[in-house]
Amino acid sequence: MDDLGLSIAEYSVFASIMTFGGMIGALISGKVADIFGRRVTMWLLDLFFILGWCSIIFGKRAWWLDAGRLLMGVGSGIQLYVAPIYISEVTPKNIRGCFAAAASFTLTLGFSLAYYIGNNMNWRTLALVGASPCFIQVLGVFFIPESPRWLSKIGLEEEVEASLQRLRGGNADISTEAAEIRDYTKTVRQLSGSDFMDLFSRKYARPLIVGTGLMALVQFGGNSGISSFASSIFRAAGCSADSASRVMAVLQLPFAAMSIILTEKAGRRLLMMITSAGACLGCFLSALGFLLKDYHQPAELTSSMVFTGILLFSVSFTMGMGGTPWIIMSEILTINIKGSAGSFIALVNCFTSWIVSYAFNFLFQWNAAGIFFLFSFFCGSVVVFVAMLVPETKGRTLEEIQASMTLLQ
């Protein structure tokens, strides 16, 4: 803001335009992944990220930065879909949740690194740091096998077994798993679902409601606004923005690591409910802190309440509320609607995230306590939604989960 003289509105555009790009990426992610495969799609998203980072690194005007964020958003929208889908399709059922949570952990590691070092370096240098992993993954994608379930969908049966053998090890017996994948693919191939409007038929109602409902409620819980403007929130509460951001960055890591274990041990439903309740309490504490600040209560009390609330929200979101919906989404969608339904669900996620990130600054300036009370309400709504509609998926094959969620008859 200082370097380019951005207004609050312009800064909000810069912060939120990435989620707008995410909507574009979400729209094309499923179709691209269905046509070209999971590996090519991951390679493509890295190109979007690299182009976006380069636009920021060499940017001379504000629109260069906005263009870079938009391109990165397209990559992010694709990544939101293809990463959990690929992980769920290549991992055994007993460790599927751990692997998906481990991916969320690396995401948290990246965020924490940015929070920790972002206050100590020029923003162009920080952008260069952000671009580095993208170059590594562009090369790494060439060394991973394609999803056996996608190969089965397009009829490459010999490649299915070769991919499974490579994933499970040279001496592993893959015959049962390969047969199960082939049989289920034949069953769902007889169903409609390739067209977008087929999603809204009765047999797909439950997975679509669960996927879109989880994404919308979680995003309306406020993470996009809180994570994008954490420094501004801490500053408004009277905390040291630099110190608070560093504490938040460091504290996220052990809780993200815990999610790797808890996703399989506790299960998706319980972890989602506990962490959503924690996020609800965190937002409520922050709202109460800002409310007391408005009534001129002691600064030490109000700042400590906001600081504690934001940290509680952050660790709760990191430990399960943020990543678990993507695990569930990747598990409940049948292969014939995975592309269109996954794109739609990712689009809902990006659109609601954009609403929150764009509107946050305006609402925060208008009524800081009110916006956090609203976030608290939505986080609490996630607990109710999961309790009523979301199934437990741990320890079950994708084929078992999807058959129970979809009316195949």
Side-chain angles (χ1 to χ4, degrees), residues 202-282:
R202 182 170 173 266
K203 59 177 170 285
Y204 301 126
R206 190 182 177 198
L208 195 64
I209 290 171
V210 169
T212 55
L214 269 181
M215 293 301 173
L217 289 175
V218 166
Q219 286 304 321
F220 281 131
N223 181 65
S224 296
I226 294 171
S227 61
S228 296
F229 305 106
S231 295
S232 300
I233 296 169
F234 289 133
R235 207 172 290 117
C239 305
S240 168
D242 290 356
S243 300
S245 295
R246 289 194 182 98
V247 172
M248 182 171 139
V250 172
L251 200 59
Q252 282 181 333
L253 292 176
F255 285 94
M258 284 174 58
S259 70
I260 299 174
I261 301 171
L262 293 175
T263 301
E264 288 297 347
K265 294 295 184 182
R268 282 57 147 172
R269 286 182 85 250
L270 182 59
L271 181 61
M272 191 74 193
M273 291 170 70
I274 292 173
T275 55
S276 299
C280 175
L281 179 58

